[in-house]
Amino acid sequence: MMARTMLVAGLVLGLGHIHAAIVGTADIATLQAGVVRITATPSGGPQKVGTGFIVRLERDVVYIVTAAHVIAGDVQPKVQFFTQQDLSVQATVKHSEGGDEVTGLALLIVRGKDKLPSGLTALTLASASHLSGNEEIIVMGHPRGAGDWAIIKGGIASRQGRYLTVDANIDEGNSGGPIIQKGEVVGLIGGVTRYGRGVTNGSVREYLEGHGINIAGSPPEAVAKVQPTPGILRRLELQDEDKDINDITNKSFARMALIPAGEFWMGSPKNEGTVNEHPRHQIYLDAYSMDISEVTIARHAEFLRSTGRRVPNFWDLVKAGTPPDHPVVEVDWHDAEAYCRWAGKRLPTEAEWEKAARGTDERIYPWGNEQPTSRLGNFATDQGPFTVESFMAGESPYGLLHMAGNVWEWTADWYDEHSYAKSPQRNPKGPSSGTSKVIRGGSWSSEPGHVRSAYRGRAIPAHRDGSIGFRCAQDSPK
């Protein structure tokens, strides 16, 4: 046992030693924030420790998948989250299927804002599985002797249909944990002998969808060029489960993505970008959420009906012949701010907008460093805005769409060309006053250089334009 423990410990990888071919550019701490420690106490049996991972986040609910044998005999196991390891919370077993320890899966729910710490991640299930054998992977979990949330390097020894054999020194504490390749979950550890045995991501996906858990992954074209990056690794639908129209925290029912707390580099390096993008500086932001898509004509129309707010000038032009799933335009800053407030949200700060657009790996565009093309965004055209659910290949690291092109987006900040030189390091909110507000992201008519994630535009608050729209942000519960 001592030799095995030493071997396991020797394979636990430090942050700087994860090979890019295994996890892409994904931040290991973010991956860990999607993995949980499960402690089950079966009636009349010894306590068991296993692993699970988060597959869906809602405002006050977390859905976790694990191996059924991990929680067998305990309908209310305890769960510990990576972002608050000193606290165990009670989970409820929504479903547990029979079968052997490899094939049986279980779905857990943790409900209640007071039980959910900030900074959690829902891991991405790979959209397709091409494993056959000899692929490098990592396994996350709680093996004895190696510490909790251990990162262990290994490989796929073999695949037979939906069954996998993993060549890695793991033990029962890894059962139910994710098998990860290039930042995405490609399988789940079921039973553990000398080798780990498990099932492919396809089996996990089918099980979850059978219980109404929507975990749709990014389309293949969205991940072909850029691997997942630090932060949320999939699009998170932070919706009220009951869609109560009286819940003012999200009246618009817009899907949102959680942007976890942490640092990122804001602005552009020397000799790149424009003068107002300098100096490049490191910013820390608390966790927050952003609308995945721009606010649509349909949603803005509901806001006008609900509030009785005066219909803005040019509203007929906006609606005439334009599908309701296109972004609302011809709205000034005051309109945008009022809508977000009605929805229980707010406009994003300039720093929040930039982090949501480019992640934490200093990419130039939301999709990476590849030069803009008509496949990645709507820009440099005379066709006007496209539907908000388009150009999936150009999504940001957190799954946000149209953060480059389509329409400019209002932010909360006043504009100051030199504000970066005097910006606070934590949660900057921009200057206290000014004459123009910052707009970000470029539009359908912008040249390629203006859809860079660091590019800063500006407009007076009363300005209305057929190329300016907005999306909302929301503080993350503490």
Side-chain angles (χ1 to χ4, degrees), residues 200-216:
T200 63
N201 60 297
S203 294
V204 178
R205 183 184 299 275
E206 182 179 5
Y207 173 75
L208 293 171
E209 290 178 348
H211 291 282
I213 307 302
N214 179 13
I215 38 78

Side-chain angles (χ1 to χ4, degrees), residues 221-355:
E221 65 268 24
V223 297
K225 296 292 184 181
V226 183
Q227 298 302 332
T229 58
I232 280 294
L233 303 177
R234 64 177 292 275
R235 212 175 289 169
L236 301 180
E237 297 180 8
L238 300 181
Q239 297 175 327
D240 187 316
E241 190 174 42
D242 299 319
K243 294 190 175 181
D244 182 353
I245 193 65
N246 295 314
D247 186 351
I248 64 170
T249 60
N250 195 357
K251 282 183 180 176
S252 66
F253 304 140
R255 294 183 303 140
M256 302 189 79
L258 176 65
I259 318 298
E263 296 179 328
F264 82 106
W265 284 98
M266 187 173 182
S268 295
K270 292 180 179 179
N271 303 320
E272 292 183 20
T274 59
V275 64
N276 66 357
E277 298 168 30
H278 301 147
R280 171 178 168 269
H281 55 298
Q282 195 169 50
I283 292 294
Y284 177 92
L285 295 177
D286 292 334
Y288 61 100
S289 297
M290 283 268 282
D291 288 351
I292 286 171
S293 304
E294 298 141 334
V295 173
T296 62
I297 292 172
R299 289 188 181 125
H300 197 75
E302 176 59 30
F303 158 65
L304 295 175
R305 285 193 297 269
S306 176
T307 63
R309 186 180 176 87
R310 182 179 64 85
V311 174
N313 296 335
F314 312 114
W315 180 243
D316 289 340
L317 287 176
V318 170
K319 294 200 304 178
T322 305
D325 59 353
H326 279 53
V328 65
V329 293
E330 298 284 2
V331 287
D332 67 14
W333 184 90
H334 304 286
D335 293 329
E337 191 273 337
Y339 173 96
C340 291
R341 187 157 28 87
W342 167 79
K345 308 180 190 179
R346 56 179 173 75
L347 284 171
T349 66
E350 185 179 15
E352 289 173 335
W353 193 99
E354 186 168 327
K355 181 179 180 180

Side-chain angles (χ1 to χ4, degrees), residues 32-342:
Q32 289 172 314
V35 177
V36 304
R37 187 178 191 268
I38 300 173
T39 303
T41 308
S43 176
Q47 190 177 81
K48 298 185 297 184
V49 172
T51 302
F53 59 96
I54 299 170
V55 291
R56 181 178 170 89
L57 285 168
E58 294 179 357
R59 185 180 304 116
D60 59 356
V61 184
V62 166
Y63 295 85
I64 298 164
V65 68
T66 186
H69 73 90
V70 169
I71 51 86
D74 188 351
V75 296
Q76 293 184 319
K78 298 291 187 179
V79 168
Q80 290 169 272
F81 295 105
F82 178 75
T83 57
Q84 193 171 3
Q85 299 177 28
D86 60 343
L87 179 66
S88 292
V89 299
Q90 184 174 286
T92 299
V93 178
K94 181 178 176 63
H95 180 267
S96 179
E97 56 181 17
D100 64 26
E101 65 178 11
V102 177
T103 62
L105 300 177
L107 179 62
L108 312 184
I109 296 178
V110 178
R111 189 184 299 273
K113 293 181 181 179
D114 58 331
K115 295 182 179 180
L116 304 178
S118 62
L120 298 180
T121 297
L123 300 189
T124 303
L125 287 183
S127 58
S129 179
H130 304 290
L131 302 176
S132 58
N134 201 39
E135 294 91 352
E136 288 187 317
I137 51 89
I138 63 171
V139 176
M140 286 192 180
H142 307 279
R144 291 167 295 180
D148 291 326
W149 288 275
I151 315 297
I152 298 174
K153 179 179 177 181
I156 300 297
S158 66
R159 175 183 178 180
Q160 293 182 320
R162 63 193 186 99
Y163 301 105
L164 299 173
T165 302
V166 175
D167 185 8
N169 283 272
I170 54 184
D171 68 11
E172 290 109 355
N174 289 103
S175 293
I179 304 168
I180 296 171
Q181 183 187 51
K182 296 181 180 178
E184 296 183 315
V185 176
V186 295
L188 176 146
I189 293 291
V192 179
T193 54
R194 181 182 181 277
Y195 292 87
R197 296 179 295 152
V199 294
T200 63
N201 60 297
S203 294
V204 178
R205 183 184 299 275
E206 182 179 5
Y207 173 75
L208 293 171
E209 290 178 348
H211 291 282
I213 307 302
N214 179 13
I215 38 78
S218 302
E221 65 268 24
V223 297
K225 296 292 184 181
V226 183
Q227 298 302 332
T229 58
I232 280 294
L233 303 177
R234 64 177 292 275
R235 212 175 289 169
L236 301 180
E237 297 180 8
L238 300 181
Q239 297 175 327
D240 187 316
E241 190 174 42
D242 299 319
K243 294 190 175 181
D244 182 353
I245 193 65
N246 295 314
D247 186 351
I248 64 170
T249 60
N250 195 357
K251 282 183 180 176
S252 66
F253 304 140
R255 294 183 303 140
M256 302 189 79
L258 176 65
I259 318 298
E263 296 179 328
F264 82 106
W265 284 98
M266 187 173 182
S268 295
K270 292 180 179 179
N271 303 320
E272 292 183 20
T274 59
V275 64
N276 66 357
E277 298 168 30
H278 301 147
R280 171 178 168 269
H281 55 298
Q282 195 169 50
I283 292 294
Y284 177 92
L285 295 177
D286 292 334
Y288 61 100
S289 297
M290 283 268 282
D291 288 351
I292 286 171
S293 304
E294 298 141 334
V295 173
T296 62
I297 292 172
R299 289 188 181 125
H300 197 75
E302 176 59 30
F303 158 65
L304 295 175
R305 285 193 297 269
S306 176
T307 63
R309 186 180 176 87
R310 182 179 64 85
V311 174
N313 296 335
F314 312 114
W315 180 243
D316 289 340
L317 287 176
V318 170
K319 294 200 304 178
T322 305
D325 59 353
H326 279 53
V328 65
V329 293
E330 298 284 2
V331 287
D332 67 14
W333 184 90
H334 304 286
D335 293 329
E337 191 273 337
Y339 173 96
C340 291
R341 187 157 28 87
W342 167 79

Side-chain angles (χ1 to χ4, degrees), residues 333 350 411-420 422 428-438 456 458-461:
W333 184 90
E350 185 179 15
T411 73
D413 292 18
W414 290 106
Y415 175 82
D416 179 347
E417 179 178 350
H418 305 293
S419 61
Y420 284 9
K422 48 197 174 187
K429 299 185 183 302
S432 59
S433 62
T435 58
S436 297
K437 290 288 186 176
V438 175
R456 307 174 71 198
R458 58 175 170 166
I460 61 171

